[in-house]
């Protein structure tokens, strides 16, 4: 598809097809390979997160996403305040509930586990799983718009890091006015746009 300006009515079905293609490819990737890629992602993310201020929102892995739970447990053991996102209502910003390894969990939207508490925190840094991403840090997610609405609500002083595999790299997502860029994107090759690891 060419890079000419596209209307939302054109972009929406294009994104749906790209989303389906990328998720299918990710899920079809051998689990051992995804695990190796995930270890490389954690190696890059860990020093970045250790320098961050305030609560950090992670995510619970879904449909072959990088599983960052080992990093969550490591940061929790060092006293970092961690949270997980919660869908409160459709088409509204996310809420965030505190998480620790011993947190009681319940099933939320799409049967993704969430902390079984009404307590909320406000993260300063969000880790946003990406289905696809672009070199200029736009994110293709699952189509609900939750992260865009959340970042718009949180405003300045809050940032998101996209997390995903290189197989999700796209030339463009044909960004629309409601799309909000990530601060950066991290894949198994490192920070996107930085000097890449060999191999």
């Amino acid at each position: 598809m060419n890079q000419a300006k596209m209307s939302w009515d054109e972009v929406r079905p294009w994104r749906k097809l790209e989303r389906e293609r990328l998720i299918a490819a990710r899920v079809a990737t051998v689990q051992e390979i995804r695990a190796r890629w995930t270890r490389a992602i954690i190696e890059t993310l860990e020093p970045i997160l250790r320098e961050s201020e305030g609560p950090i929102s992670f995510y619970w892995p879904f449909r072959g996403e990088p599983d960052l739970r080992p990093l969550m447990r490591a940061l929790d053991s060092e006293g970092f305040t961690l949270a997980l996102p919660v869908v409160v209502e459709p088409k509204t910003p996310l809420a965030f509930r505190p998480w620790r390894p011993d947190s009681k969990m319940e099933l939320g939207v799409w049967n993704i586990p969430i902390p079984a508490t009404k307590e909320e925190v406000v993260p300063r840094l969000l880790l946003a799983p990406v289905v696809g991403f672009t070199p200029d840090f736009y994110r293709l997610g699952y189509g609900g718009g939750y992260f865009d609405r959340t970042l718009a609500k949180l405003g300045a002083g809050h940032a998101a890091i996209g997390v995903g595999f290189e197989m999700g790299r796209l030339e463009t997502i044909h960004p629309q006015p409601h799309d909000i860029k990530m601060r950066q994107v991290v894949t198994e090759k490192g920070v996107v746009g930085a000097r890449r690891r060999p191999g």
Side-chain angles (χ1 to χ4, degrees), residues 53-57 83 96-97 120-126 154 158:
E53 297 180 4
I56 305 168
S57 171
F96 298 89
R97 295 178 181 176
E120 294 186 6
V121 296
V122 179
R124 292 184 62 84
L125 180 62
L126 288 68
L154 292 175
H158 301 82

Side-chain angles (χ1 to χ4, degrees), residues 8-57:
W8 180 233
D9 286 341
E10 295 171 308
V11 171
R12 184 161 39 194
W14 178 85
R15 287 189 185 180
K16 182 176 185 294
L17 291 174
E18 285 297 287
R19 185 178 296 118
E20 292 171 353
R21 177 183 69 82
L22 292 171
I23 292 173
R26 186 175 70 195
V27 171
T29 300
V30 176
Q31 194 277 333
E32 287 80 5
I33 294 175
R34 293 201 311 264
R36 185 174 73 243
W37 291 346
T38 295
R39 288 192 294 271
I41 288 170
I42 288 175
E43 182 181 330
T44 298
L45 267 180
E46 190 165 1
I48 295 172
L49 300 187
R50 288 184 189 283
E51 295 179 358
S52 65
E53 297 180 4
I56 305 168
S57 171

